[in-house]
mmCIF file of all heavy atoms in Angstrom:
data_model
loop_
_atom_site.group_PDB
_atom_site.id
_atom_site.type_symbol
_atom_site.label_atom_id
_atom_site.label_comp_id
_atom_site.label_asym_id
_atom_site.label_seq_id
_atom_site.Cartn_x
_atom_site.Cartn_y
_atom_site.Cartn_z
ATOM 1 N N THR H 347 -27.528 -52.356 30.986
ATOM 2 C CA THR H 347 -26.083 -52.639 30.887
ATOM 3 C C THR H 347 -25.664 -52.652 29.417
ATOM 4 O O THR H 347 -24.658 -52.044 29.048
ATOM 5 C CB THR H 347 -25.751 -54.000 31.553
ATOM 6 O OG1 THR H 347 -26.095 -53.908 32.937
ATOM 7 C CG2 THR H 347 -24.275 -54.339 31.420
ATOM 8 N N LEU H 348 -26.463 -53.331 28.582
ATOM 9 C CA LEU H 348 -26.123 -53.367 27.146
ATOM 10 C C LEU H 348 -26.098 -51.959 26.564
ATOM 11 O O LEU H 348 -25.203 -51.617 25.787
ATOM 12 C CB LEU H 348 -27.141 -54.229 26.376
ATOM 13 C CG LEU H 348 -27.154 -55.730 26.703
ATOM 14 C CD1 LEU H 348 -28.230 -56.429 25.887
ATOM 15 C CD2 LEU H 348 -25.789 -56.373 26.454
ATOM 16 N N SER H 349 -27.051 -51.117 26.974
ATOM 17 C CA SER H 349 -27.038 -49.792 26.342
ATOM 18 C C SER H 349 -25.892 -48.942 26.860
ATOM 19 O O SER H 349 -25.330 -48.142 26.102
ATOM 20 C CB SER H 349 -28.400 -49.098 26.374
ATOM 21 O OG SER H 349 -28.806 -48.921 27.662
ATOM 22 N N LEU H 350 -25.488 -49.138 28.119
ATOM 23 C CA LEU H 350 -24.289 -48.431 28.585
ATOM 24 C C LEU H 350 -23.063 -48.873 27.781
ATOM 25 O O LEU H 350 -22.239 -48.045 27.374
ATOM 26 C CB LEU H 350 -24.064 -48.688 30.086
ATOM 27 C CG LEU H 350 -22.809 -48.010 30.665
ATOM 28 C CD1 LEU H 350 -23.078 -47.438 32.040
ATOM 29 C CD2 LEU H 350 -21.613 -48.947 30.728
ATOM 30 N N VAL H 351 -22.948 -50.160 27.533
ATOM 31 C CA VAL H 351 -21.810 -50.670 26.751
ATOM 32 C C VAL H 351 -21.815 -50.041 25.363
ATOM 33 O O VAL H 351 -20.771 -49.613 24.873
ATOM 34 C CB VAL H 351 -21.854 -52.219 26.670
ATOM 35 C CG1 VAL H 351 -20.825 -52.750 25.670
ATOM 36 C CG2 VAL H 351 -21.604 -52.825 28.050
ATOM 37 N N ARG H 352 -23.005 -49.957 24.757
ATOM 38 C CA ARG H 352 -23.088 -49.347 23.419
ATOM 39 C C ARG H 352 -22.682 -47.879 23.472
ATOM 40 O O ARG H 352 -22.012 -47.380 22.573
ATOM 41 C CB ARG H 352 -24.505 -49.473 22.848
ATOM 42 C CG ARG H 352 -24.798 -50.870 22.369
ATOM 43 C CD ARG H 352 -26.106 -50.947 21.567
ATOM 44 N NE ARG H 352 -26.549 -52.316 21.591
ATOM 45 C CZ ARG H 352 -27.489 -52.807 22.392
ATOM 46 N NH1 ARG H 352 -28.144 -52.007 23.228
ATOM 47 N NH2 ARG H 352 -27.790 -54.075 22.370
ATOM 48 N N GLU H 353 -23.075 -47.208 24.524
ATOM 49 C CA GLU H 353 -22.764 -45.791 24.627
ATOM 50 C C GLU H 353 -21.267 -45.540 24.846
ATOM 51 O O GLU H 353 -20.685 -44.644 24.239
ATOM 52 C CB GLU H 353 -23.571 -45.171 25.785
ATOM 53 C CG GLU H 353 -23.600 -43.670 25.719
ATOM 54 C CD GLU H 353 -24.618 -43.042 26.674
ATOM 55 O OE1 GLU H 353 -25.451 -43.786 27.249
ATOM 56 O OE2 GLU H 353 -24.551 -41.823 26.840
ATOM 57 N N VAL H 354 -20.630 -46.360 25.703
ATOM 58 C CA VAL H 354 -19.230 -46.132 26.037
ATOM 59 C C VAL H 354 -18.315 -46.622 24.914
ATOM 60 O O VAL H 354 -17.421 -45.899 24.461
ATOM 61 C CB VAL H 354 -18.865 -46.811 27.376
ATOM 62 C CG1 VAL H 354 -17.352 -46.795 27.608
ATOM 63 C CG2 VAL H 354 -19.581 -46.123 28.536
ATOM 64 N N GLY H 355 -18.530 -47.835 24.454
ATOM 65 C CA GLY H 355 -17.637 -48.441 23.458
ATOM 66 C C GLY H 355 -16.349 -48.887 24.133
ATOM 67 O O GLY H 355 -15.480 -48.082 24.451
ATOM 68 N N TYR H 356 -16.229 -50.193 24.386
ATOM 69 C CA TYR H 356 -15.070 -50.723 25.108
ATOM 70 C C TYR H 356 -14.049 -51.334 24.158
ATOM 71 O O TYR H 356 -14.405 -51.987 23.178
ATOM 72 C CB TYR H 356 -15.518 -51.775 26.123
ATOM 73 C CG TYR H 356 -16.188 -51.158 27.330
ATOM 74 C CD1 TYR H 356 -17.552 -50.908 27.339
ATOM 75 C CD2 TYR H 356 -15.439 -50.777 28.435
ATOM 76 C CE1 TYR H 356 -18.166 -50.309 28.438
ATOM 77 C CE2 TYR H 356 -16.041 -50.184 29.528
ATOM 78 C CZ TYR H 356 -17.402 -49.956 29.526
ATOM 79 O OH TYR H 356 -17.990 -49.360 30.608
ATOM 80 N N ALA H 357 -12.771 -51.124 24.498
ATOM 81 C CA ALA H 357 -11.683 -51.737 23.721
ATOM 82 C C ALA H 357 -11.472 -53.174 24.167
ATOM 83 O O ALA H 357 -10.985 -54.016 23.415
ATOM 84 C CB ALA H 357 -10.412 -50.949 23.915
ATOM 85 N N SER H 358 -11.811 -53.462 25.430
ATOM 86 C CA SER H 358 -11.711 -54.822 25.966
ATOM 87 C C SER H 358 -12.502 -54.838 27.250
ATOM 88 O O SER H 358 -12.844 -53.786 27.791
ATOM 89 C CB SER H 358 -10.264 -55.189 26.241
ATOM 90 O OG SER H 358 -9.790 -54.485 27.371
ATOM 91 N N ALA H 359 -12.838 -56.030 27.726
ATOM 92 C CA ALA H 359 -13.619 -56.087 28.965
ATOM 93 C C ALA H 359 -13.615 -57.487 29.545
ATOM 94 O O ALA H 359 -13.362 -58.463 28.840
ATOM 95 C CB ALA H 359 -15.057 -55.649 28.705
ATOM 96 N N PHE H 360 -13.881 -57.558 30.838
ATOM 97 C CA PHE H 360 -14.065 -58.829 31.512
ATOM 98 C C PHE H 360 -15.500 -58.853 32.030
ATOM 99 O O PHE H 360 -15.962 -57.900 32.637
ATOM 100 C CB PHE H 360 -13.117 -58.971 32.694
ATOM 101 C CG PHE H 360 -11.678 -58.854 32.291
ATOM 102 C CD1 PHE H 360 -11.028 -57.621 32.340
ATOM 103 C CD2 PHE H 360 -10.971 -59.950 31.822
ATOM 104 C CE1 PHE H 360 -9.705 -57.499 31.948
ATOM 105 C CE2 PHE H 360 -9.651 -59.837 31.425
ATOM 106 C CZ PHE H 360 -9.007 -58.608 31.476
#
Side-chain angles (χ1 to χ4, degrees):
T347 298
L348 294 179
S349 60
L350 179 139
V351 170
R352 284 191 201 100
E353 196 168 349
V354 170
Y356 286 88
S358 72
F360 302 93

